[in-house]
Amino acid sequence: QVQLVESGGGLVQPGGSLRLSCAASGNIRSINVMDWYRQGPGKERELVAGISSGGSTTYGDSVKGRFTISRDNAKNTAYLQMNSLKPEDTAVYYCNAEIRPRGTFTSIHCWGQGTQVTVSS
């Protein structure tokens, strides 16, 4: 079994910062891409940022220049540093990872349970 656990969400004022973490645990051989998605009230889930095992990154247009994704492969953990937060960043943030379990030849996509980020004064 493989598990993803997000942490770091909370309430922050506009212009503030938060750092989210996504830790993968379990029977893991390797992790390819790790992504952050978010789903705001009444909105569809959207890709926020992604990072490959080699460190290549991609960002959604709405967060470019404000958010930074990184990862620590030794800890099987991805991070999302969110700066200059806006009320429209309010959403549940989910981690998704493409994981190859030990003893298998295929990868699976795993989701975390989500962490709430609320940007409000």
Side-chain angles (χ1 to χ4, degrees):
Q1 284 81 359
V2 176
Q3 186 179 19
L4 293 178
V5 177
E6 301 103 332
S7 60
L11 173 63
V12 63
Q13 292 186 342
S17 298
L18 281 176
R19 188 191 194 209
L20 306 183
S21 298
C22 169
S25 62
N27 188 32
I28 298 171
R29 184 182 188 278
S30 62
I31 302 176
N32 188 9
V33 177
M34 299 186 80
D35 298 318
W36 285 98
Y37 286 78
R38 69 184 181 186
Q39 187 165 15
K43 298 181 181 179
E44 294 186 354
R45 191 171 295 190
E46 64 174 347
L47 176 67
V48 176
I51 185 167
S52 70
S53 57
S56 297
T57 58
T58 185
Y59 294 93
D61 289 341
S62 61
V63 305
K64 285 180 180 176
R66 300 188 297 122
F67 291 10
T68 302
I69 189 170
S70 61
R71 64 190 282 174
D72 184 332
N73 290 330
K75 296 181 179 180
N76 289 333
T77 299
Y79 306 95
L80 185 68
Q81 178 66 43
M82 305 185 295
N83 298 328
S84 302
L85 282 161
K86 305 175 181 179
E88 51 263 43
D89 294 318
T90 295
V92 178
Y93 284 70
Y94 298 92
C95 180
N96 176 274
E98 183 181 357
I99 297 173
R100 182 174 168 184
R102 290 195 187 95
T104 70
F105 294 97
T106 59
S107 295
I108 59 175
H109 279 272
C110 298
W111 288 92
Q113 82 288 351
T115 185
Q116 176 70 46
V117 171
T118 302
V119 185
S120 175
S121 55

